[in-house]
Amino acid sequence: MLWSATARLSANPSPLHLPVSNQSITVFGKSKPSRVRCSHSRAMESNDDTSKAKGLSFDDFLSKKPYSPPTWASHLKPIPSHVFSLAHLPTPIHKWNLPNLPQNTEVWLKRDDLSGMQLSGNKVRKLEFLLAEAVAQGADCIITIGGIQSNHCRATAVAAKYLNLDSYLILRTSKLLVDKDPGLTGNLLVERFMGAHIQLISKEEYAKIGSVALTNVLKEQLLKEGRRPYVIPVGGSNSLGTWGYIEAMREIEEQLQIRSNRIKFDDIVVACGRFYSTQIFSLQSGNAFIVEFLMCLSYWLKDIFLVSFRLGFGYTSGGLAFLTLAKGLGYAINTSEELKFVKEVAAATGVVLDPVYSGKAAYGMMKDMAENPKKWEGRKVLFVHTGGLLGLFDKVDQMAPLVGNWQRMDVNESIPRKEGIGKMF
């Protein structure tokens, strides 16, 4: 079942029944539509030597293939044996014409929000590795956990269904709503269309029991029913999922190499919940500074050290990371000023940010640029858009007062009218 008032999960559960710039946009990272060859490889090379970006061939999407890490990550252990092609990669990079930047500052945008409409966002990068292991272990269903508007849970439901796996999602919500139908807003619509089994847990119960124990409760129930579940942790954030960000760094590196003018970034700015990406970007960012805007509580800091230890990361790499707490009122909670910023960026640049991650990170970046312009002057910045558009649908009540640019069209009586002349198909 998708959901029912009795499907509440407990520790002892019953059976689970800005002005627009006129500057042109430069896009790179896409294969040209010239002659291509199809093979079981994500890389699709063009005969044009100036364009060797990756692309998906006809028989590559949803395929499973052996994995080889980039040379600069070959010392990390364990190295995954296989990976699935689930995302539309590479995601493009283009210049982002934000208004009111410091003098001679350029901001470029890495569009992981374009990794695929239903899978959109950076989460699918982790799922390519996690689901490869799930299939290798013979799983017939996937368990994962997150907030009520979790982008990761939505992406998991979609990716699992692509691979003919059922999904069980434990979603954290208000204690006032835990016994009510969660509705079809935002990510929930996609999840329920995919047939995901939704289990609701209150934030209070979640805080007392923890995500690991909750997923184990559900895993044990499914095992008793004869199922073969594979558990993915919150956000897909473990040592195996981290390889998705290693591939993201390799992708960026390759995209920069094919550009004729070989742009070099001084800063990489990224929103982060559990910020495993810090280590990835620091590992292979050269002399670029990593500026992370942290969206969650600082006690999650211990997770980065745990995962780093398991993978064998060192802390002497060339890149340096600066962490800035940018969660504001709290995770997935927005001020009117933050949402106004998201709306203004969309109106000025055509780029829609999400309210939980990239929106808050971009807000924090632009605020810092305004307060400390000298620090950013003349720098080239790569901002990683991690997706999450569907989360905006959960903010419509807050956003409504910010738009309002509509009116009934006034058509003068002098304009000729004739019944049936306007075809409405």
Side-chain angles (χ1 to χ4, degrees), residues 137 253 257 319 400:
Q137 292 181 4
E253 184 181 44
Q257 287 175 350

Side-chain angles (χ1 to χ4, degrees), residues 72-343:
W72 46 263
S74 59
H75 66 287
L76 303 179
K77 306 296 179 187
I79 295 174
S81 61
H82 289 80
V83 61
F84 263 111
S85 294
L86 300 175
H88 300 293
L89 302 175
T91 57
I93 297 174
H94 66 78
K95 200 168 185 179
W96 196 13
N97 297 312
L98 289 166
N100 304 319
L101 294 175
Q103 186 176 4
N104 298 321
T105 299
E106 293 182 5
V107 179
W108 295 69
L109 197 58
K110 175 64 173 169
R111 299 296 300 272
D112 264 17
D113 59 315
L114 302 180
S115 60
M117 181 176 178
Q118 296 168 182
L119 286 163
S120 65
N122 63 318
K123 303 298 187 183
V124 65
R125 293 185 181 274
K126 301 178 183 181
L127 291 171
E128 291 193 322
F129 290 91
L130 293 164
L131 291 183
E133 182 177 80
V135 170
Q137 292 181 4
D140 65 1
C141 59
I142 304 296
I143 298 171
T144 196
I145 186 168
I148 193 68
Q149 283 295 330
S150 168
N151 298 309
H152 160 71
C153 288
R154 178 255 305 149
T156 300
V158 173
K161 192 55 64 175
Y162 278 165
L163 303 178
N164 200 30
L165 302 171
D166 291 335
S167 60
Y168 289 81
L169 311 178
I170 303 172
L171 301 182
R172 184 178 62 247
T173 189
S174 162
K175 64 181 179 181
L176 300 177
L177 301 175
V178 74
D179 291 310
K180 299 179 180 179
D181 188 309
L184 297 173
T185 299
N187 288 302
L188 284 163
L189 175 65
V190 177
E191 291 162 356
R192 299 181 78 175
F193 267 31
M194 294 294 134
H197 301 262
I198 306 296
Q199 302 291 317
L200 300 180
I201 185 78
S202 72
K203 295 176 181 178
E204 290 77 13
E205 287 178 298
Y206 183 98
K208 293 176 182 177
I209 301 171
S211 63
V212 175
L214 289 169
T215 52
N216 282 338
V217 167
L218 186 51
K219 178 182 178 180
E220 291 303 315
Q221 288 180 261
L222 291 173
L223 286 170
K224 290 177 182 178
E225 295 174 8
R227 304 300 302 270
R228 300 186 301 277
Y230 178 88
V231 176
I232 296 177
V234 176
S237 297
N238 59 14
S239 56
L240 179 58
T242 301
W243 284 92
Y245 289 148
I246 292 175
E247 279 303 296
M249 195 63 234
R250 168 153 63 179
E251 180 178 299
I252 293 172
E253 184 181 44
E254 292 178 354
Q255 286 176 297
L256 298 183
Q257 287 175 350
I258 66 171
R259 278 187 59 85
S260 58
N261 60 353
R262 294 295 176 94
I263 187 171
K264 178 178 174 59
F265 293 117
D266 301 298
D267 304 284
I268 300 174
V269 178
V270 60
C272 216
R274 304 179 78 87
F275 64 103
Y276 298 140
S277 51
T278 302
Q279 284 296 307
I280 306 308
F281 287 115
S282 295
L283 182 69
Q284 185 61 13
S285 61
N287 295 319
F289 289 97
I290 315 302
V291 184
E292 291 234 6
F293 288 89
L294 185 61
M295 302 303 152
C296 300
L297 296 178
S298 58
Y299 65 75
W300 279 359
L301 279 165
K302 67 180 185 296
D303 291 347
I304 180 63
F305 296 110
L306 178 60
V307 171
S308 298
F309 174 77
R310 287 175 177 170
L311 276 173
F313 277 118
Y315 287 88
T316 59
S317 51
L320 297 175
F322 293 92
L323 304 180
T324 302
L325 189 61
K327 69 186 182 75
L329 295 177
Y331 179 77
I333 303 173
N334 295 97
T335 65
S336 57
E337 187 176 357
E338 289 169 347
L339 293 177
K340 181 182 179 182
F341 171 81
V342 170
K343 186 263 181 186

Side-chain angles (χ1 to χ4, degrees), residues 149 184-187 355 388-397 399:
Q149 283 295 330
L184 297 173
T185 299
N187 288 302
L389 170 64
L390 290 172
L392 276 175
F393 289 89
D394 196 42
K395 306 288 182 180
V396 291
D397 291 339
M399 296 289 292

